Amino acid sequence: MGMAQVQDLLDVMVTIEPYAGQDKHGTLSYRPPQSVKARIQQGPMWVRDAMGQSLLGKFKVYLGQAVQVDPRDRITLPIPFGVRDTTGAMQPLQPNILSVALVFYRGQHDHTVLVLS
């Protein structure tokens, strides 16, 4: 079943900023953000990184479209998944991308699944 059949399950918007590079001081830069409908599943899940090490993820994010994501990209989850700042107000969360899975349906890239720290 392709993502087109389950669009009603995509109940949040996430923001993805594609990695553009870094300067000589190590400051990262990103291209303009893109908002994508998604479904977020919380809970511990184990994944393996490119070096074969096991990593513990806290979120699995199903992106509702075929988005090319690099693990260096920056993703922002909505406030309900966020953290409190020093004043006690909830802030959006920007976890690290641990793994990227491109999901194909009928021979075409249908959607992308991310595991986040």
Side-chain angles (χ1 to χ4, degrees):
M1 176 183 321
M3 190 56 73
Q5 288 82 18
V6 294
Q7 287 293 310
D8 292 343
L9 297 176
L10 305 175
D11 54 357
V12 298
M13 295 294 285
V14 298
T15 303
I16 299 172
E17 297 169 83
Y19 173 80
Q22 73 182 55
D23 64 16
K24 63 183 178 181
H25 303 290
T27 303
L28 302 178
S29 61
Y30 298 92
R31 291 192 291 280
Q34 169 185 4
S35 293
V36 180
K37 287 177 67 172
R39 175 81 177 177
I40 299 176
Q41 175 185 350
Q42 290 181 280
M45 60 210 71
W46 291 97
V47 295
R48 293 200 182 271
D49 68 5
M51 303 300 287
Q53 295 180 320
S54 293
L55 302 172
L56 180 61
K58 295 179 185 174
F59 301 97
K60 184 178 272 190
V61 179
Y62 299 86
L63 300 177
Q65 61 192 66
V67 179
Q68 292 287 342
V69 177
D70 184 290
R72 297 172 295 180
D73 292 351
R74 182 164 54 193
I75 186 166
T76 304
L77 303 182
I79 287 178
F81 299 95
V83 294
R84 293 195 187 278
D85 64 12
T86 56
T87 67
M90 292 297 287
Q91 299 297 317
L93 182 64
Q94 292 183 323
N96 293 321
I97 298 172
L98 301 178
S99 76
V100 177
L102 306 180
V103 179
F104 288 80
Y105 178 66
R106 295 186 177 177
Q108 294 186 357
H109 182 192
D110 184 63
H111 63 282
T112 304
V113 180
L114 308 174
V115 175
L116 312 175
S117 63

